[in-house]
Amino acid sequence: MPVATPEVYAEMLDKAKSQSFAYPAINVSSSQTLNAALAGFAEAESDGIIQISTGGAEYLSGPTVKDMVSGSLAFAAYAQEVAKKYPVNVALHTDHCPKDKLDGFVRPLIAASAERVAAGGLPYFQSHMWDGSAVPLEENLQIAEELLASAAAANIILEVEIGIVGGEEDGVEGGMGEHLYTTPEDALATAAALGLGEKGRYLTALTFGNVHGVYKPGNVTLRPEILKAAQEAVSAKYGKDSPFDLVFHGGSGSLPEEISAAVDYGVVKMNVDTDTQYAFTRPVAGHMLANYDGVLKIDGEVGNKKQYDPRAWGKAAEAGMATRVAEACAALRSAGTKL
């Protein structure tokens, strides 16, 4: 199917919310990882979200070019074409964008989509994320309000982060400690600044102990009940049940029951990056170790072209990542729910 239109994306999120499941949002950085994500969603019969970070966008433009906008637009164009061959809907999203990269990433991409929409077309991306976790909440929400207005005008959904995700991703350091837990007061401030849909639709990444990176199960202290408290505080004031469309960041090492509870409390999108990176790379390592005398020209020999051809190890890498994407769909209950 083609990449989801704004209307289809909204329908996807509404369905996830009403039926208590979440979509895996898979980070990609190449055509191979994009293809793997699409294959995994198709295998699971799940719609989904495919996203790129600032670093991924730079890489997609070419490691000697490092232009986030060029890489993003190239990714969107490629995804639009190859997604047509898969029987699922996918939305395109840009991941964490801190304040110092807004003018080189999210703002020009929104402007490009606005120009395209004004000419009768569709936005390049269905949603963008503003990561204001490194600035005070008041400034975070002021910038979010400005971005929400411009995104809504271009039929784009904005994702905001209210709180701080621990660990590190693409150079953004969250650290550790009590600041990783969003309060009901933070949630109320968000609703007051951004509304509950009347100013434009947005996704909310509230933090409940989330940490980016690689952790064994049980090493991260998640408190999903924080999501419940936030939803209830805003619901009590505005009379709207489960008002936020929530996002789960930093899920590596989370226990199944923690993921399930987060989905029950309104999570409709969960970012998956670290696990799929490993699932892609592990088969490559296995191929190289098993065929080292073919992929390397040892002792003056010529090697084996069929073994060092990137397609030889690329197929295994894509298959490994696709399987992990399908597993994520099952864990988040989106398997078998495609529109």
Side-chain angles (χ1 to χ4, degrees):
M1 296 179 182
V3 166
T5 63
E7 293 75 20
V8 168
Y9 189 29
E11 187 178 353
M12 286 168 55
L13 297 174
D14 289 342
K15 184 175 182 178
K17 188 78 165 290
S18 66
Q19 297 186 13
S20 294
F21 66 86
Y23 295 108
I26 307 299
N27 279 71
V28 303
S29 56
S30 66
S31 61
Q32 286 184 302
T33 49
L34 169 60
N35 289 334
L38 288 167
F41 285 127
E43 178 184 337
E45 297 185 340
S46 171
D47 299 322
I49 300 167
I50 299 178
Q51 60 191 26
I52 55 172
S53 64
T54 55
E58 281 189 344
Y59 185 78
L60 279 158
S61 74
T64 61
V65 175
K66 294 186 177 180
D67 185 286
M68 292 182 288
V69 173
S70 294
S72 298
L73 295 177
F75 158 76
Y78 184 81
Q80 282 281 354
E81 191 59 39
V82 296
K84 295 175 185 177
K85 301 297 182 180
Y86 291 86
V88 291
N89 300 288
V90 291
L92 306 184
H93 176 80
T94 60
D95 201 8
H96 293 268
C97 180
K99 181 181 177 181
D100 64 342
K101 294 185 178 179
L102 279 173
D103 288 339
F105 191 42
V106 165
R107 285 193 176 111
L109 287 174
I110 292 177
S113 284
E115 184 177 346
R116 201 182 198 202
V117 169
L122 296 171
Y124 290 100
F125 286 83
Q126 286 65 59
S127 51
H128 294 290
M129 183 193 176
W130 149 235
D131 182 354
S133 61
V135 302
L137 181 61
E138 183 178 0
E139 182 181 5
N140 181 351
L141 292 174
Q142 287 175 347
I143 294 173
E145 193 169 7
E146 169 248 313
L147 291 171
L148 181 61
S150 57
N155 295 331
I156 296 168
I157 293 172
L158 183 70
E159 179 181 331
V160 297
E161 184 166 324
I162 307 302
I164 299 172
V165 176
E168 182 272 335
E169 182 176 57
D170 267 0
V172 178
E173 291 276 359
M176 304 293 278
E178 280 299 310
H179 63 284
L180 302 183
Y181 301 96
T182 303
T183 66
E185 291 73 24
D186 295 337
L188 287 166
T190 301
L194 305 183
L196 294 175
E198 69 276 8
K199 295 182 180 182
R201 188 165 189 170
Y202 61 95
L203 306 172
T204 313
L206 301 180
T207 57
F208 53 106
N210 325 51
V211 179
H212 288 133
V214 186
Y215 297 87
K216 292 182 179 180
N219 282 17
V220 175
T221 305
L222 291 178
R223 291 162 52 191
E225 66 273 12
I226 282 177
L227 303 179
K228 182 174 184 286
Q231 295 275 38
E232 289 176 345
V234 176
S235 177
K237 181 168 183 178
Y238 294 94
K240 183 177 180 179
D241 291 337
S242 193
F244 289 129
D245 296 329
L246 297 178
V247 181
F248 186 167
H249 290 186
S252 294
S254 302
L255 300 173
E257 56 267 31
E258 294 169 334
I259 295 174
S260 182
V263 173
D264 287 340
Y265 297 145
V267 165
V268 295
K269 172 181 181 280
M270 178 174 172
N271 290 7
V272 183
D273 185 16
T274 301
D275 290 352
T276 50
Q277 286 179 338
Y278 183 78
F280 183 87
T281 301
R282 180 62 183 83
V284 180
H287 176 88
M288 299 302 174
L289 291 171
N291 300 285
Y292 72 94
D293 54 344
V295 298
L296 298 176
K297 296 182 178 182
I298 298 173
D299 296 330
E301 294 298 324
V302 296
N304 185 333
K305 181 181 184 303
K306 290 184 178 180
Q307 292 176 353
Y308 61 73
D309 184 331
R311 291 169 293 183
W313 51 262
K315 290 177 184 177
E318 290 184 32
M321 180 172 166
T323 296
R324 184 63 186 86
V325 171
E327 290 171 354
C329 292
L332 293 170
R333 309 176 217 162
S334 71
T337 66
K338 67 178 183 177
L339 295 180

